[in-house]
Amino acid sequence: MAGITGFGGYVPRLRLQRKAVVEANGWFNPALAGLAKGERSMCNWDEDSLTMAVEAARDCMGETPPADLRSIYFASTTMPFADRQNATVAATALNLGEDIRTVDMTSSQRAGTSGLIDALENAEGRDGTVLFLAADTRETAASGPQELQMGDAAAAFTIGNDGVIAEFLGSHQVSTDFVDHYRGQNRSFDYNWEERWIRDEGYFKIVPPAVKALLDKTGVAGSDVDMMVMPALIRGVPQRIAKGAGIAEEAVQDNLHAVMGEAGAAHALVMLSKAMQNAGPGKTILVIGWGQGCDLMLFRTTDAIAKFKPALGGVEGYLGRKKAESNYNRYLAFNDLIDRDKGIRAEVDAQTALTTLYRNRKKVLGFVGGKCTKCGTVQYPKSHICVNPNCGEWKSQEDYPFADEPCTVQSWTADGLTYSPDPPTHFGMVTFEAGGRLMADLTDVDKGGVEVGMPLRMVFRVKVEDERRGFKKYFWKAAPDHRKTAA
């Protein structure tokens, strides 16, 4: 039977304090005071849905992707490219090879759950593993309630028939054009409808019959559901639906709104990933996705779940690794919600030579260097001549991936003159345990928080955005290795 064979997640380090948003906008919208508690996750200036999805995948798969990986799905309503397949970029960054099926799924808050159902059903009875990614960074207008309610995050799952940690028991889907919100073409923000209408005519009339249909189809009683995952911004909705289905109130999982907000199409799967971190064997998990109808999935964990641990700490680990952000202007700037005078130093044409990017895609996106087959020296970038002065062999190098190699700071600089969306610009010489070094940008670091010898790990981030042409350049940066700094 097909099912989930691995899971992971990612939540950005920065957490915007909702109190800071209310203090800035309360003069205009006093009603925001009711949403002032807690915090929401926010991407760093060099993060987006694609970079978060890559990190979630690394958390799920660790350093070694399944050898039989044959497909990658990416679900999001905030993909960086409208016409360039985003799943292909993720596959290249993860060094999954080019003999792989890649699929983008978008245009609905159900993209994550609908896509996961599709991946699960396609995996049944077939050989090979599927990687499913979901991420969202929903833009919101300043001073509105959605600004406080939303959050940025990603989730990842591997799906297959062998080594299943959560069996897929079945699914049920309802498609109906009930519009609780929408975002039109070439619009940045959602248009939201009235809450009571959404609750009474939407959730309470569409979801309960669907839950009953799934439970009847699978032969599972509501009282047998141990965990129920259902995102809903409207308070009390999951609890009432659970009660109507005979599901215990304590089975309803925390929606994470107090600690990160709602991550759009990824949120149900972020909640599922977190639930699986706390689920022992034999637990029945109901997942409900919402948006122009609803998706429902039922899983039962196996004994194998006790042995699985996300490589980078999972959703729980990332929720615990955080920095409180009380500068509301930084949030506005990172999300391009204000026009800033960036100065003359920012006036550089950032056009990408697409031919060069294609020829160097493994080096740039996959962060692949070289290893000399004669002396064993590793280096980045790969070259025709080995850099070992005692070797110098010609065309002796094979591909060597650096993305998961541990590294440390050898030297560093905080540059206040070079333009950066979040000055000062931190960069330095990074040395890898396996050998090799690189002058790299540092990210997720604070002023005064870098020191020689600091443990680092490489992360896939936005290098620069060509705003004139709407093209994002991605590369790898060095970030503090929270697994080692926490220890």
Side-chain angles (χ1 to χ4, degrees), residues 430-450:
V430 173
T431 59
F432 295 89
E433 276 188 15
R437 61 182 61 184
L438 172 74
M439 184 64 73
D441 290 335
L442 306 180
T443 189
D444 287 354
V445 295
D446 302 318
K447 188 175 181 179
V450 182

PDB file of all heavy atoms in Angstrom, residues 430-450:
ATOM      1  N   VAL A 430      34.647  30.798   3.552  1.00  0.00           N
ATOM      2  CA  VAL A 430      34.045  29.620   4.168  1.00  0.00           C
ATOM      3  C   VAL A 430      34.882  28.413   3.784  1.00  0.00           C
ATOM      4  O   VAL A 430      35.179  28.199   2.604  1.00  0.00           O
ATOM      5  CB  VAL A 430      32.583  29.449   3.682  1.00  0.00           C
ATOM      6  CG1 VAL A 430      32.001  28.132   4.170  1.00  0.00           C
ATOM      7  CG2 VAL A 430      31.731  30.622   4.157  1.00  0.00           C
ATOM      8  N   THR A 431      35.281  27.618   4.774  1.00  0.00           N
ATOM      9  CA  THR A 431      36.058  26.412   4.502  1.00  0.00           C
ATOM     10  C   THR A 431      35.216  25.185   4.805  1.00  0.00           C
ATOM     11  O   THR A 431      34.486  25.139   5.803  1.00  0.00           O
ATOM     12  CB  THR A 431      37.340  26.375   5.347  1.00  0.00           C
ATOM     13  OG1 THR A 431      37.000  26.413   6.744  1.00  0.00           O
ATOM     14  CG2 THR A 431      38.230  27.563   5.036  1.00  0.00           C
ATOM     15  N   PHE A 432      35.342  24.181   3.950  1.00  0.00           N
ATOM     16  CA  PHE A 432      34.552  22.962   4.078  1.00  0.00           C
ATOM     17  C   PHE A 432      35.381  21.850   4.727  1.00  0.00           C
ATOM     18  O   PHE A 432      36.598  21.750   4.486  1.00  0.00           O
ATOM     19  CB  PHE A 432      34.047  22.510   2.705  1.00  0.00           C
ATOM     20  CG  PHE A 432      33.083  23.469   2.078  1.00  0.00           C
ATOM     21  CD1 PHE A 432      33.540  24.505   1.278  1.00  0.00           C
ATOM     22  CD2 PHE A 432      31.715  23.353   2.303  1.00  0.00           C
ATOM     23  CE1 PHE A 432      32.657  25.412   0.708  1.00  0.00           C
ATOM     24  CE2 PHE A 432      30.833  24.253   1.736  1.00  0.00           C
ATOM     25  CZ  PHE A 432      31.301  25.283   0.938  1.00  0.00           C
ATOM     26  N   GLU A 433      34.715  21.030   5.511  1.00  0.00           N
ATOM     27  CA  GLU A 433      35.394  19.942   6.210  1.00  0.00           C
ATOM     28  C   GLU A 433      36.095  19.003   5.240  1.00  0.00           C
ATOM     29  O   GLU A 433      37.188  18.501   5.499  1.00  0.00           O
ATOM     30  CB  GLU A 433      34.398  19.136   7.060  1.00  0.00           C
ATOM     31  CG  GLU A 433      34.133  19.715   8.419  1.00  0.00           C
ATOM     32  CD  GLU A 433      33.308  18.800   9.289  1.00  0.00           C
ATOM     33  OE1 GLU A 433      33.169  17.600   8.952  1.00  0.00           O
ATOM     34  OE2 GLU A 433      32.785  19.277  10.318  1.00  0.00           O
ATOM     35  N   ALA A 434      35.470  18.738   4.102  1.00  0.00           N
ATOM     36  CA  ALA A 434      36.030  17.800   3.134  1.00  0.00           C
ATOM     37  C   ALA A 434      37.163  18.413   2.328  1.00  0.00           C
ATOM     38  O   ALA A 434      37.827  17.719   1.551  1.00  0.00           O
ATOM     39  CB  ALA A 434      34.936  17.306   2.190  1.00  0.00           C
ATOM     40  N   GLY A 435      37.386  19.726   2.513  1.00  0.00           N
ATOM     41  CA  GLY A 435      38.364  20.447   1.713  1.00  0.00           C
ATOM     42  C   GLY A 435      37.671  21.431   0.799  1.00  0.00           C
ATOM     43  O   GLY A 435      36.475  21.325   0.529  1.00  0.00           O
ATOM     44  N   GLY A 436      38.396  22.395   0.351  1.00  0.00           N
ATOM     45  CA  GLY A 436      37.817  23.418  -0.505  1.00  0.00           C
ATOM     46  C   GLY A 436      37.362  24.614   0.306  1.00  0.00           C
ATOM     47  O   GLY A 436      37.079  24.513   1.513  1.00  0.00           O
ATOM     48  N   ARG A 437      37.301  25.741  -0.356  1.00  0.00           N
ATOM     49  CA  ARG A 437      36.861  26.969   0.306  1.00  0.00           C
ATOM     50  C   ARG A 437      36.157  27.849  -0.710  1.00  0.00           C
ATOM     51  O   ARG A 437      36.293  27.670  -1.926  1.00  0.00           O
ATOM     52  CB  ARG A 437      38.038  27.700   0.932  1.00  0.00           C
ATOM     53  CG  ARG A 437      39.104  28.144  -0.041  1.00  0.00           C
ATOM     54  CD  ARG A 437      40.280  28.814   0.655  1.00  0.00           C
ATOM     55  NE  ARG A 437      40.934  27.908   1.574  1.00  0.00           N
ATOM     56  CZ  ARG A 437      41.941  28.252   2.369  1.00  0.00           C
ATOM     57  NH1 ARG A 437      42.381  29.514   2.358  1.00  0.00           N
ATOM     58  NH2 ARG A 437      42.516  27.387   3.149  1.00  0.00           N
ATOM     59  N   LEU A 438      35.411  28.829  -0.186  1.00  0.00           N
ATOM     60  CA  LEU A 438      34.586  29.675  -1.045  1.00  0.00           C
ATOM     61  C   LEU A 438      34.366  31.014  -0.375  1.00  0.00           C
ATOM     62  O   LEU A 438      34.090  31.071   0.837  1.00  0.00           O
ATOM     63  CB  LEU A 438      33.229  28.990  -1.291  1.00  0.00           C
ATOM     64  CG  LEU A 438      32.150  29.799  -2.015  1.00  0.00           C
ATOM     65  CD1 LEU A 438      32.479  29.903  -3.496  1.00  0.00           C
ATOM     66  CD2 LEU A 438      30.787  29.148  -1.820  1.00  0.00           C
ATOM     67  N   MET A 439      34.499  32.097  -1.111  1.00  0.00           N
ATOM     68  CA  MET A 439      34.084  33.406  -0.623  1.00  0.00           C
ATOM     69  C   MET A 439      32.576  33.483  -0.803  1.00  0.00           C
ATOM     70  O   MET A 439      32.082  33.543  -1.924  1.00  0.00           O
ATOM     71  CB  MET A 439      34.767  34.530  -1.403  1.00  0.00           C
ATOM     72  CG  MET A 439      34.453  35.923  -0.864  1.00  0.00           C
ATOM     73  SD  MET A 439      35.047  36.223   0.811  1.00  0.00           S
ATOM     74  CE  MET A 439      36.812  36.381   0.503  1.00  0.00           C
ATOM     75  N   ALA A 440      31.845  33.442   0.299  1.00  0.00           N
ATOM     76  CA  ALA A 440      30.387  33.294   0.234  1.00  0.00           C
ATOM     77  C   ALA A 440      29.684  34.394   0.998  1.00  0.00           C
ATOM     78  O   ALA A 440      30.204  34.948   1.977  1.00  0.00           O
ATOM     79  CB  ALA A 440      29.980  31.927   0.797  1.00  0.00           C
ATOM     80  N   ASP A 441      28.454  34.694   0.563  1.00  0.00           N
ATOM     81  CA  ASP A 441      27.570  35.549   1.340  1.00  0.00           C
ATOM     82  C   ASP A 441      27.119  34.792   2.583  1.00  0.00           C
ATOM     83  O   ASP A 441      26.903  33.579   2.547  1.00  0.00           O
ATOM     84  CB  ASP A 441      26.343  35.939   0.524  1.00  0.00           C
ATOM     85  CG  ASP A 441      26.668  36.903  -0.605  1.00  0.00           C
ATOM     86  OD1 ASP A 441      27.664  37.627  -0.499  1.00  0.00           O
ATOM     87  OD2 ASP A 441      25.915  36.925  -1.600  1.00  0.00           O
ATOM     88  N   LEU A 442      26.960  35.515   3.689  1.00  0.00           N
ATOM     89  CA  LEU A 442      26.412  34.945   4.909  1.00  0.00           C
ATOM     90  C   LEU A 442      24.983  35.442   5.071  1.00  0.00           C
ATOM     91  O   LEU A 442      24.687  36.611   4.808  1.00  0.00           O
ATOM     92  CB  LEU A 442      27.247  35.348   6.127  1.00  0.00           C
ATOM     93  CG  LEU A 442      28.752  35.050   6.066  1.00  0.00           C
ATOM     94  CD1 LEU A 442      29.438  35.508   7.344  1.00  0.00           C
ATOM     95  CD2 LEU A 442      29.003  33.570   5.834  1.00  0.00           C
ATOM     96  N   THR A 443      24.089  34.580   5.500  1.00  0.00           N
ATOM     97  CA  THR A 443      22.692  34.967   5.678  1.00  0.00           C
ATOM     98  C   THR A 443      22.189  34.472   7.024  1.00  0.00           C
ATOM     99  O   THR A 443      22.805  33.594   7.647  1.00  0.00           O
ATOM    100  CB  THR A 443      21.821  34.422   4.535  1.00  0.00           C
ATOM    101  OG1 THR A 443      20.503  34.982   4.628  1.00  0.00           O
ATOM    102  CG2 THR A 443      21.725  32.903   4.568  1.00  0.00           C
ATOM    103  N   ASP A 444      21.067  35.021   7.469  1.00  0.00           N
ATOM    104  CA  ASP A 444      20.481  34.679   8.770  1.00  0.00           C
ATOM    105  C   ASP A 444      21.447  34.946   9.910  1.00  0.00           C
ATOM    106  O   ASP A 444      21.473  34.218  10.915  1.00  0.00           O
ATOM    107  CB  ASP A 444      20.024  33.211   8.803  1.00  0.00           C
ATOM    108  CG  ASP A 444      18.779  32.968   7.975  1.00  0.00           C
ATOM    109  OD1 ASP A 444      18.204  33.948   7.479  1.00  0.00           O
ATOM    110  OD2 ASP A 444      18.388  31.798   7.809  1.00  0.00           O
ATOM    111  N   VAL A 445      22.262  35.978   9.757  1.00  0.00           N
ATOM    112  CA  VAL A 445      23.186  36.362  10.826  1.00  0.00           C
ATOM    113  C   VAL A 445      22.849  37.775  11.284  1.00  0.00           C
ATOM    114  O   VAL A 445      22.303  38.584  10.529  1.00  0.00           O
ATOM    115  CB  VAL A 445      24.656  36.296  10.360  1.00  0.00           C
ATOM    116  CG1 VAL A 445      25.051  34.870  10.033  1.00  0.00           C
ATOM    117  CG2 VAL A 445      24.904  37.205   9.153  1.00  0.00           C
ATOM    118  N   ASP A 446      23.174  38.065  12.520  1.00  0.00           N
ATOM    119  CA  ASP A 446      22.924  39.379  13.096  1.00  0.00           C
ATOM    120  C   ASP A 446      24.227  40.175  13.183  1.00  0.00           C
ATOM    121  O   ASP A 446      25.323  39.602  13.260  1.00  0.00           O
ATOM    122  CB  ASP A 446      22.317  39.235  14.493  1.00  0.00           C
ATOM    123  CG  ASP A 446      21.026  38.433  14.478  1.00  0.00           C
ATOM    124  OD1 ASP A 446      20.216  38.661  13.560  1.00  0.00           O
ATOM    125  OD2 ASP A 446      20.838  37.591  15.379  1.00  0.00           O
ATOM    126  N   LYS A 447      24.104  41.481  13.188  1.00  0.00           N
ATOM    127  CA  LYS A 447      25.274  42.336  13.341  1.00  0.00           C
ATOM    128  C   LYS A 447      25.960  42.006  14.655  1.00  0.00           C
ATOM    129  O   LYS A 447      25.337  42.013  15.717  1.00  0.00           O
ATOM    130  CB  LYS A 447      24.848  43.804  13.298  1.00  0.00           C
ATOM    131  CG  LYS A 447      26.003  44.782  13.245  1.00  0.00           C
ATOM    132  CD  LYS A 447      25.491  46.206  13.085  1.00  0.00           C
ATOM    133  CE  LYS A 447      26.652  47.188  12.998  1.00  0.00           C
ATOM    134  NZ  LYS A 447      26.177  48.586  12.812  1.00  0.00           N
ATOM    135  N   GLY A 448      27.245  41.681  14.570  1.00  0.00           N
ATOM    136  CA  GLY A 448      27.989  41.301  15.759  1.00  0.00           C
ATOM    137  C   GLY A 448      27.841  39.843  16.136  1.00  0.00           C
ATOM    138  O   GLY A 448      28.387  39.403  17.152  1.00  0.00           O
ATOM    139  N   GLY A 449      27.118  39.088  15.304  1.00  0.00           N
ATOM    140  CA  GLY A 449      26.856  37.689  15.641  1.00  0.00           C
ATOM    141  C   GLY A 449      27.686  36.691  14.877  1.00  0.00           C
ATOM    142  O   GLY A 449      27.409  35.485  14.931  1.00  0.00           O
ATOM    143  N   VAL A 450      28.703  37.160  14.144  1.00  0.00           N
ATOM    144  CA  VAL A 450      29.563  36.256  13.368  1.00  0.00           C
ATOM    145  C   VAL A 450      30.938  36.206  14.019  1.00  0.00           C
ATOM    146  O   VAL A 450      31.455  37.221  14.479  1.00  0.00           O
ATOM    147  CB  VAL A 450      29.696  36.734  11.905  1.00  0.00           C
ATOM    148  CG1 VAL A 450      30.541  35.758  11.104  1.00  0.00           C
ATOM    149  CG2 VAL A 450      28.320  36.906  11.272  1.00  0.00           C
TER     150      VAL A 450
END
